[in-house]
mmCIF file of all heavy atoms in Angstrom:
data_model
loop_
_atom_site.group_PDB
_atom_site.id
_atom_site.type_symbol
_atom_site.label_atom_id
_atom_site.label_comp_id
_atom_site.label_asym_id
_atom_site.label_seq_id
_atom_site.Cartn_x
_atom_site.Cartn_y
_atom_site.Cartn_z
ATOM 1 N N LEU A 21 69.755 -231.715 6.861
ATOM 2 C CA LEU A 21 69.555 -230.638 5.903
ATOM 3 C C LEU A 21 69.670 -229.281 6.532
ATOM 4 O O LEU A 21 70.222 -228.348 5.929
ATOM 5 C CB LEU A 21 68.190 -230.818 5.216
ATOM 6 C CG LEU A 21 68.049 -232.041 4.295
ATOM 7 C CD1 LEU A 21 66.639 -232.185 3.798
ATOM 8 C CD2 LEU A 21 69.045 -231.936 3.113
ATOM 9 N N TYR A 22 69.170 -229.104 7.733
ATOM 10 C CA TYR A 22 69.369 -227.849 8.466
ATOM 11 C C TYR A 22 70.844 -227.557 8.665
ATOM 12 O O TYR A 22 71.304 -226.443 8.468
ATOM 13 C CB TYR A 22 68.644 -227.885 9.831
ATOM 14 C CG TYR A 22 67.240 -227.355 9.824
ATOM 15 C CD1 TYR A 22 66.212 -228.138 10.291
ATOM 16 C CD2 TYR A 22 66.964 -226.089 9.353
ATOM 17 C CE1 TYR A 22 64.885 -227.669 10.311
ATOM 18 C CE2 TYR A 22 65.666 -225.571 9.344
ATOM 19 C CZ TYR A 22 64.616 -226.415 9.822
ATOM 20 O OH TYR A 22 63.344 -225.921 9.825
ATOM 21 N N SER A 23 71.578 -228.581 9.057
ATOM 22 C CA SER A 23 73.049 -228.390 9.325
ATOM 23 C C SER A 23 73.737 -228.072 7.997
ATOM 24 O O SER A 23 74.715 -227.300 7.990
ATOM 25 C CB SER A 23 73.618 -229.624 9.990
ATOM 26 O OG SER A 23 73.711 -230.741 9.137
ATOM 27 N N LEU A 24 73.305 -228.684 6.886
ATOM 28 C CA LEU A 24 73.917 -228.386 5.587
ATOM 29 C C LEU A 24 73.642 -226.899 5.238
ATOM 30 O O LEU A 24 74.602 -226.248 4.797
ATOM 31 C CB LEU A 24 73.259 -229.300 4.549
ATOM 32 C CG LEU A 24 73.581 -228.948 3.060
ATOM 33 C CD1 LEU A 24 75.079 -229.111 2.775
ATOM 34 C CD2 LEU A 24 72.758 -229.880 2.136
ATOM 35 N N LYS A 25 72.452 -226.442 5.448
ATOM 36 C CA LYS A 25 72.129 -225.065 5.133
ATOM 37 C C LYS A 25 72.934 -224.096 5.954
ATOM 38 O O LYS A 25 73.477 -223.087 5.471
ATOM 39 C CB LYS A 25 70.648 -224.817 5.350
ATOM 40 C CG LYS A 25 70.125 -223.468 4.833
ATOM 41 C CD LYS A 25 68.604 -223.438 4.889
ATOM 42 C CE LYS A 25 68.073 -222.170 4.245
ATOM 43 N NZ LYS A 25 66.576 -222.135 4.258
ATOM 44 N N THR A 26 73.037 -224.393 7.249
ATOM 45 C CA THR A 26 73.800 -223.530 8.174
ATOM 46 C C THR A 26 75.294 -223.517 7.784
ATOM 47 O O THR A 26 75.909 -222.447 7.790
ATOM 48 C CB THR A 26 73.634 -224.043 9.608
ATOM 49 O OG1 THR A 26 72.266 -224.047 9.957
ATOM 50 C CG2 THR A 26 74.405 -223.145 10.582
ATOM 51 N N ALA A 27 75.844 -224.661 7.486
ATOM 52 C CA ALA A 27 77.269 -224.761 7.114
ATOM 53 C C ALA A 27 77.508 -223.979 5.824
ATOM 54 O O ALA A 27 78.571 -223.313 5.691
ATOM 55 C CB ALA A 27 77.683 -226.208 6.969
ATOM 56 N N LEU A 28 76.601 -224.091 4.890
ATOM 57 C CA LEU A 28 76.742 -223.379 3.600
ATOM 58 C C LEU A 28 76.766 -221.875 3.819
ATOM 59 O O LEU A 28 77.633 -221.172 3.289
ATOM 60 C CB LEU A 28 75.631 -223.776 2.650
ATOM 61 C CG LEU A 28 75.631 -223.098 1.297
ATOM 62 C CD1 LEU A 28 76.856 -223.540 0.459
ATOM 63 C CD2 LEU A 28 74.351 -223.391 0.519
ATOM 64 N N VAL A 29 75.797 -221.381 4.583
ATOM 65 C CA VAL A 29 75.732 -219.926 4.858
ATOM 66 C C VAL A 29 76.962 -219.491 5.574
ATOM 67 O O VAL A 29 77.586 -218.425 5.259
ATOM 68 C CB VAL A 29 74.483 -219.597 5.680
ATOM 69 C CG1 VAL A 29 74.522 -218.172 6.186
ATOM 70 C CG2 VAL A 29 73.195 -219.875 4.905
ATOM 71 N N ASN A 30 77.428 -220.259 6.545
ATOM 72 C CA ASN A 30 78.638 -219.919 7.317
ATOM 73 C C ASN A 30 79.870 -219.859 6.423
ATOM 74 O O ASN A 30 80.657 -218.903 6.466
ATOM 75 C CB ASN A 30 78.870 -220.938 8.413
ATOM 76 C CG ASN A 30 80.107 -220.674 9.237
ATOM 77 O OD1 ASN A 30 80.079 -219.804 10.100
ATOM 78 N ND2 ASN A 30 81.146 -221.446 9.002
ATOM 79 N N HIS A 31 80.026 -220.829 5.520
ATOM 80 C CA HIS A 31 81.179 -220.859 4.628
ATOM 81 C C HIS A 31 81.156 -219.627 3.692
ATOM 82 O O HIS A 31 82.168 -218.975 3.502
ATOM 83 C CB HIS A 31 81.193 -222.124 3.813
ATOM 84 C CG HIS A 31 82.322 -222.167 2.807
ATOM 85 N ND1 HIS A 31 83.587 -222.662 3.099
ATOM 86 C CD2 HIS A 31 82.412 -221.745 1.512
ATOM 87 C CE1 HIS A 31 84.380 -222.565 2.096
ATOM 88 N NE2 HIS A 31 83.684 -222.011 1.056
ATOM 89 N N ASN A 32 80.028 -219.365 3.115
ATOM 90 C CA ASN A 32 79.918 -218.308 2.102
ATOM 91 C C ASN A 32 80.082 -216.907 2.728
ATOM 92 O O ASN A 32 80.425 -215.943 2.031
ATOM 93 C CB ASN A 32 78.641 -218.400 1.327
ATOM 94 C CG ASN A 32 78.683 -219.540 0.326
ATOM 95 O OD1 ASN A 32 79.733 -220.077 -0.007
ATOM 96 N ND2 ASN A 32 77.514 -219.949 -0.179
ATOM 97 N N LYS A 33 79.845 -216.782 4.021
ATOM 98 C CA LYS A 33 80.078 -215.505 4.680
ATOM 99 C C LYS A 33 81.574 -215.282 4.917
ATOM 100 O O LYS A 33 82.050 -214.144 4.901
ATOM 101 C CB LYS A 33 79.358 -215.515 6.049
ATOM 102 C CG LYS A 33 77.892 -215.203 6.010
ATOM 103 C CD LYS A 33 77.300 -215.176 7.403
ATOM 104 C CE LYS A 33 75.808 -214.816 7.329
ATOM 105 N NZ LYS A 33 75.207 -214.812 8.741
ATOM 106 N N GLN A 34 82.309 -216.380 5.076
ATOM 107 C CA GLN A 34 83.715 -216.263 5.509
ATOM 108 C C GLN A 34 84.725 -216.431 4.374
ATOM 109 O O GLN A 34 85.879 -216.059 4.507
ATOM 110 C CB GLN A 34 84.006 -217.308 6.602
ATOM 111 C CG GLN A 34 83.177 -217.091 7.861
ATOM 112 C CD GLN A 34 83.562 -218.059 8.967
ATOM 113 O OE1 GLN A 34 84.532 -218.788 8.848
ATOM 114 N NE2 GLN A 34 82.766 -218.087 10.019
ATOM 115 N N SER A 35 84.281 -217.062 3.263
ATOM 116 C CA SER A 35 85.223 -217.398 2.214
ATOM 117 C C SER A 35 85.016 -216.587 0.945
ATOM 118 O O SER A 35 83.872 -216.200 0.626
ATOM 119 C CB SER A 35 85.092 -218.910 1.877
ATOM 120 O OG SER A 35 85.928 -219.249 0.778
ATOM 121 N N LYS A 36 86.120 -216.272 0.279
ATOM 122 C CA LYS A 36 86.026 -215.548 -0.993
ATOM 123 C C LYS A 36 85.455 -216.487 -2.099
ATOM 124 O O LYS A 36 84.785 -216.027 -3.001
ATOM 125 C CB LYS A 36 87.393 -215.045 -1.435
ATOM 126 C CG LYS A 36 87.938 -213.957 -0.526
ATOM 127 C CD LYS A 36 89.297 -213.480 -0.997
ATOM 128 C CE LYS A 36 89.843 -212.351 -0.122
ATOM 129 N NZ LYS A 36 91.196 -211.901 -0.547
ATOM 130 N N GLU A 37 85.776 -217.806 -1.956
ATOM 131 C CA GLU A 37 85.219 -218.758 -2.916
ATOM 132 C C GLU A 37 83.825 -219.189 -2.433
ATOM 133 O O GLU A 37 83.707 -219.877 -1.469
ATOM 134 C CB GLU A 37 86.144 -219.990 -3.010
ATOM 135 C CG GLU A 37 87.469 -219.716 -3.741
ATOM 136 C CD GLU A 37 88.253 -220.965 -3.932
ATOM 137 O OE1 GLU A 37 88.275 -221.819 -2.971
ATOM 138 O OE2 GLU A 37 88.896 -221.135 -4.981
ATOM 139 N N LYS A 38 82.836 -218.794 -3.163
ATOM 140 C CA LYS A 38 81.460 -219.112 -2.761
ATOM 141 C C LYS A 38 81.075 -220.516 -3.266
ATOM 142 O O LYS A 38 81.441 -220.906 -4.349
ATOM 143 C CB LYS A 38 80.460 -218.093 -3.338
ATOM 144 C CG LYS A 38 80.797 -216.663 -2.923
ATOM 145 C CD LYS A 38 80.896 -216.462 -1.442
ATOM 146 C CE LYS A 38 81.238 -215.002 -1.098
ATOM 147 N NZ LYS A 38 81.490 -214.832 0.356
ATOM 148 N N ILE A 39 80.351 -221.234 -2.449
ATOM 149 C CA ILE A 39 79.883 -222.579 -2.821
ATOM 150 C C ILE A 39 78.436 -222.479 -3.273
ATOM 151 O O ILE A 39 77.586 -221.894 -2.579
ATOM 152 C CB ILE A 39 80.025 -223.537 -1.644
ATOM 153 C CG1 ILE A 39 81.507 -223.819 -1.359
ATOM 154 C CG2 ILE A 39 79.288 -224.862 -1.937
ATOM 155 C CD1 ILE A 39 81.738 -224.688 -0.166
ATOM 156 N N ILE A 40 78.169 -222.999 -4.423
ATOM 157 C CA ILE A 40 76.807 -223.108 -4.945
ATOM 158 C C ILE A 40 76.400 -224.573 -4.949
ATOM 159 O O ILE A 40 77.116 -225.415 -5.503
ATOM 160 C CB ILE A 40 76.726 -222.574 -6.435
ATOM 161 C CG1 ILE A 40 77.372 -221.202 -6.526
ATOM 162 C CG2 ILE A 40 75.287 -222.571 -6.927
ATOM 163 C CD1 ILE A 40 76.692 -220.123 -5.687
ATOM 164 N N ILE A 41 75.286 -224.896 -4.321
ATOM 165 C CA ILE A 41 74.870 -226.276 -4.239
ATOM 166 C C ILE A 41 73.540 -226.523 -4.936
ATOM 167 O O ILE A 41 72.718 -225.627 -5.063
ATOM 168 C CB ILE A 41 74.772 -226.793 -2.763
ATOM 169 C CG1 ILE A 41 73.599 -226.094 -2.037
ATOM 170 C CG2 ILE A 41 76.083 -226.607 -2.036
ATOM 171 C CD1 ILE A 41 73.253 -226.729 -0.700
ATOM 172 N N GLU A 42 73.377 -227.759 -5.384
ATOM 173 C CA GLU A 42 72.085 -228.297 -5.694
ATOM 174 C C GLU A 42 71.984 -229.656 -5.005
ATOM 175 O O GLU A 42 72.938 -230.402 -5.005
ATOM 176 C CB GLU A 42 71.866 -228.428 -7.198
ATOM 177 C CG GLU A 42 71.722 -227.105 -7.913
ATOM 178 C CD GLU A 42 71.386 -227.251 -9.419
ATOM 179 O OE1 GLU A 42 70.640 -228.234 -9.753
ATOM 180 O OE2 GLU A 42 71.896 -226.444 -10.216
ATOM 181 N N ILE A 43 70.812 -229.935 -4.436
ATOM 182 C CA ILE A 43 70.646 -231.143 -3.649
ATOM 183 C C ILE A 43 69.795 -232.123 -4.437
ATOM 184 O O ILE A 43 68.712 -231.775 -4.937
ATOM 185 C CB ILE A 43 69.954 -230.830 -2.272
ATOM 186 C CG1 ILE A 43 70.726 -229.775 -1.495
ATOM 187 C CG2 ILE A 43 69.732 -232.102 -1.489
ATOM 188 C CD1 ILE A 43 69.936 -229.172 -0.384
ATOM 189 N N PHE A 44 70.317 -233.344 -4.514
ATOM 190 C CA PHE A 44 69.556 -234.454 -5.171
ATOM 191 C C PHE A 44 69.218 -235.453 -4.099
ATOM 192 O O PHE A 44 70.090 -236.186 -3.623
ATOM 193 C CB PHE A 44 70.418 -235.015 -6.301
ATOM 194 C CG PHE A 44 70.707 -234.061 -7.386
ATOM 195 C CD1 PHE A 44 71.780 -233.181 -7.309
ATOM 196 C CD2 PHE A 44 69.888 -234.015 -8.507
ATOM 197 C CE1 PHE A 44 72.029 -232.265 -8.299
ATOM 198 C CE2 PHE A 44 70.139 -233.051 -9.527
ATOM 199 C CZ PHE A 44 71.226 -232.219 -9.439
ATOM 200 N N LEU A 45 67.956 -235.467 -3.706
ATOM 201 C CA LEU A 45 67.494 -236.297 -2.605
ATOM 202 C C LEU A 45 66.592 -237.410 -3.084
ATOM 203 O O LEU A 45 65.540 -237.148 -3.663
ATOM 204 C CB LEU A 45 66.754 -235.415 -1.584
ATOM 205 C CG LEU A 45 66.092 -236.122 -0.414
ATOM 206 C CD1 LEU A 45 67.147 -236.760 0.507
ATOM 207 C CD2 LEU A 45 65.231 -235.135 0.397
ATOM 208 N N THR A 46 67.032 -238.635 -2.888
ATOM 209 C CA THR A 46 66.179 -239.811 -3.244
ATOM 210 C C THR A 46 65.188 -240.044 -2.142
ATOM 211 O O THR A 46 65.536 -240.331 -0.976
ATOM 212 C CB THR A 46 67.044 -241.072 -3.429
ATOM 213 O OG1 THR A 46 67.965 -240.868 -4.517
ATOM 214 C CG2 THR A 46 66.142 -242.254 -3.802
ATOM 215 N N ASP A 47 63.925 -239.880 -2.462
ATOM 216 C CA ASP A 47 62.825 -240.211 -1.597
ATOM 217 C C ASP A 47 62.445 -241.652 -1.866
ATOM 218 O O ASP A 47 61.725 -241.936 -2.795
ATOM 219 C CB ASP A 47 61.645 -239.280 -1.836
ATOM 220 C CG ASP A 47 60.325 -239.842 -1.280
ATOM 221 O OD1 ASP A 47 60.347 -240.622 -0.307
ATOM 222 O OD2 ASP A 47 59.273 -239.485 -1.876
ATOM 223 N N ASP A 48 63.019 -242.572 -1.063
ATOM 224 C CA ASP A 48 62.803 -243.995 -1.308
ATOM 225 C C ASP A 48 61.558 -244.489 -0.592
ATOM 226 O O ASP A 48 61.656 -245.284 0.347
ATOM 227 C CB ASP A 48 64.020 -244.820 -0.919
ATOM 228 C CG ASP A 48 63.999 -246.207 -1.498
ATOM 229 O OD1 ASP A 48 63.315 -246.434 -2.507
ATOM 230 O OD2 ASP A 48 64.669 -247.114 -0.948
ATOM 231 N N GLY A 49 60.410 -243.974 -1.002
ATOM 232 C CA GLY A 49 59.122 -244.433 -0.462
ATOM 233 C C GLY A 49 58.789 -243.874 0.906
ATOM 234 O O GLY A 49 58.154 -244.551 1.716
ATOM 235 N N CYS A 50 59.197 -242.634 1.195
ATOM 236 C CA CYS A 50 58.901 -242.038 2.484
ATOM 237 C C CYS A 50 57.392 -241.808 2.673
ATOM 238 O O CYS A 50 56.719 -241.328 1.760
ATOM 239 C CB CYS A 50 59.649 -240.697 2.665
ATOM 240 S SG CYS A 50 61.420 -240.844 2.816
ATOM 241 N N THR A 51 56.898 -242.107 3.872
ATOM 242 C CA THR A 51 55.487 -241.870 4.175
ATOM 243 C C THR A 51 55.340 -241.043 5.434
ATOM 244 O O THR A 51 54.231 -240.903 5.960
ATOM 245 C CB THR A 51 54.755 -243.199 4.386
ATOM 246 O OG1 THR A 51 55.409 -243.964 5.406
ATOM 247 C CG2 THR A 51 54.759 -244.051 3.089
ATOM 248 N N ASP A 52 56.454 -240.503 5.960
ATOM 249 C CA ASP A 52 56.396 -239.819 7.229
ATOM 250 C C ASP A 52 56.580 -238.305 7.148
ATOM 251 O O ASP A 52 56.826 -237.643 8.134
ATOM 252 C CB ASP A 52 57.527 -240.379 8.155
ATOM 253 C CG ASP A 52 58.925 -240.062 7.630
ATOM 254 O OD1 ASP A 52 59.054 -239.693 6.437
ATOM 255 O OD2 ASP A 52 59.909 -240.213 8.427
ATOM 256 N N GLY A 53 56.422 -237.755 5.944
ATOM 257 C CA GLY A 53 56.524 -236.310 5.782
ATOM 258 C C GLY A 53 57.924 -235.795 5.575
ATOM 259 O O GLY A 53 58.163 -234.591 5.630
ATOM 260 N N THR A 54 58.877 -236.686 5.339
ATOM 261 C CA THR A 54 60.288 -236.280 5.147
ATOM 262 C C THR A 54 60.406 -235.309 3.956
ATOM 263 O O THR A 54 61.115 -234.271 4.060
ATOM 264 C CB THR A 54 61.195 -237.471 4.885
ATOM 265 O OG1 THR A 54 61.186 -238.338 6.042
ATOM 266 C CG2 THR A 54 62.627 -237.039 4.600
ATOM 267 N N VAL A 55 59.753 -235.602 2.863
ATOM 268 C CA VAL A 55 59.877 -234.769 1.667
ATOM 269 C C VAL A 55 59.342 -233.350 1.912
ATOM 270 O O VAL A 55 59.967 -232.360 1.547
ATOM 271 C CB VAL A 55 59.121 -235.415 0.469
ATOM 272 C CG1 VAL A 55 59.065 -234.469 -0.694
ATOM 273 C CG2 VAL A 55 59.796 -236.693 0.043
ATOM 274 N N GLU A 56 58.191 -233.277 2.568
ATOM 275 C CA GLU A 56 57.617 -231.950 2.861
ATOM 276 C C GLU A 56 58.528 -231.140 3.798
ATOM 277 O O GLU A 56 58.711 -229.941 3.629
ATOM 278 C CB GLU A 56 56.246 -232.143 3.526
ATOM 279 C CG GLU A 56 55.152 -232.679 2.576
ATOM 280 C CD GLU A 56 55.301 -234.186 2.295
ATOM 281 O OE1 GLU A 56 56.074 -234.831 3.014
ATOM 282 O OE2 GLU A 56 54.653 -234.668 1.369
ATOM 283 N N ALA A 57 59.115 -231.841 4.760
ATOM 284 C CA ALA A 57 60.033 -231.185 5.699
ATOM 285 C C ALA A 57 61.267 -230.671 4.963
ATOM 286 O O ALA A 57 61.772 -229.585 5.223
ATOM 287 C CB ALA A 57 60.456 -232.146 6.813
ATOM 288 N N ALA A 58 61.776 -231.466 4.029
ATOM 289 C CA ALA A 58 62.946 -231.047 3.230
ATOM 290 C C ALA A 58 62.621 -229.815 2.413
ATOM 291 O O ALA A 58 63.465 -228.905 2.300
ATOM 292 C CB ALA A 58 63.412 -232.186 2.320
ATOM 293 N N ARG A 59 61.456 -229.787 1.812
ATOM 294 C CA ARG A 59 61.042 -228.633 0.984
ATOM 295 C C ARG A 59 60.882 -227.369 1.841
ATOM 296 O O ARG A 59 61.057 -226.269 1.325
ATOM 297 C CB ARG A 59 59.774 -228.956 0.228
ATOM 298 C CG ARG A 59 59.982 -229.921 -0.915
ATOM 299 C CD ARG A 59 58.749 -230.016 -1.807
ATOM 300 N NE ARG A 59 59.020 -230.866 -2.968
ATOM 301 C CZ ARG A 59 58.257 -231.922 -3.300
ATOM 302 N NH1 ARG A 59 57.247 -232.291 -2.531
ATOM 303 N NH2 ARG A 59 58.553 -232.639 -4.417
ATOM 304 N N ASN A 60 60.538 -227.529 3.123
ATOM 305 C CA ASN A 60 60.419 -226.378 3.990
ATOM 306 C C ASN A 60 61.803 -225.760 4.250
ATOM 307 O O ASN A 60 61.930 -224.531 4.465
ATOM 308 C CB ASN A 60 59.776 -226.783 5.299
ATOM 309 C CG ASN A 60 58.267 -226.985 5.190
ATOM 310 O OD1 ASN A 60 57.647 -226.419 4.298
ATOM 311 N ND2 ASN A 60 57.702 -227.814 6.048
ATOM 312 N N ILE A 61 62.831 -226.569 4.277
ATOM 313 C CA ILE A 61 64.199 -226.105 4.528
ATOM 314 C C ILE A 61 64.775 -225.512 3.269
ATOM 315 O O ILE A 61 65.416 -224.460 3.332
ATOM 316 C CB ILE A 61 65.067 -227.251 5.056
ATOM 317 C CG1 ILE A 61 64.479 -227.835 6.337
ATOM 318 C CG2 ILE A 61 66.482 -226.764 5.307
ATOM 319 C CD1 ILE A 61 65.117 -229.145 6.749
ATOM 320 N N PHE A 62 64.571 -226.128 2.132
ATOM 321 C CA PHE A 62 65.075 -225.655 0.849
ATOM 322 C C PHE A 62 63.896 -225.515 -0.096
ATOM 323 O O PHE A 62 63.604 -226.383 -0.934
ATOM 324 C CB PHE A 62 66.115 -226.645 0.271
ATOM 325 C CG PHE A 62 67.407 -226.687 1.007
ATOM 326 C CD1 PHE A 62 67.661 -227.684 1.931
ATOM 327 C CD2 PHE A 62 68.374 -225.708 0.792
ATOM 328 C CE1 PHE A 62 68.863 -227.730 2.617
ATOM 329 C CE2 PHE A 62 69.593 -225.757 1.458
ATOM 330 C CZ PHE A 62 69.844 -226.766 2.368
ATOM 331 N N PRO A 63 63.144 -224.400 0.026
ATOM 332 C CA PRO A 63 61.928 -224.247 -0.784
ATOM 333 C C PRO A 63 62.180 -223.977 -2.260
ATOM 334 O O PRO A 63 61.250 -224.125 -3.066
ATOM 335 C CB PRO A 63 61.255 -223.023 -0.112
ATOM 336 C CG PRO A 63 62.336 -222.276 0.560
ATOM 337 C CD PRO A 63 63.346 -223.310 0.983
ATOM 338 N N ASN A 64 63.377 -223.572 -2.619
ATOM 339 C CA ASN A 64 63.685 -223.265 -3.995
ATOM 340 C C ASN A 64 63.807 -224.557 -4.804
ATOM 341 O O ASN A 64 64.681 -225.403 -4.552
ATOM 342 C CB ASN A 64 64.984 -222.464 -4.112
ATOM 343 C CG ASN A 64 65.232 -221.944 -5.486
ATOM 344 O OD1 ASN A 64 64.805 -222.488 -6.482
ATOM 345 N ND2 ASN A 64 65.949 -220.790 -5.568
#
């Protein structure tokens, strides 16, 4: 997810065509804090 965010920022800085994303993440029974970590990266 960090690499996705970095790649998105990099592309939108360099390209006239801006990419708008929405992420659909299946939390298939995570118990290790994955969801909380994901929300820290993409808080919106």
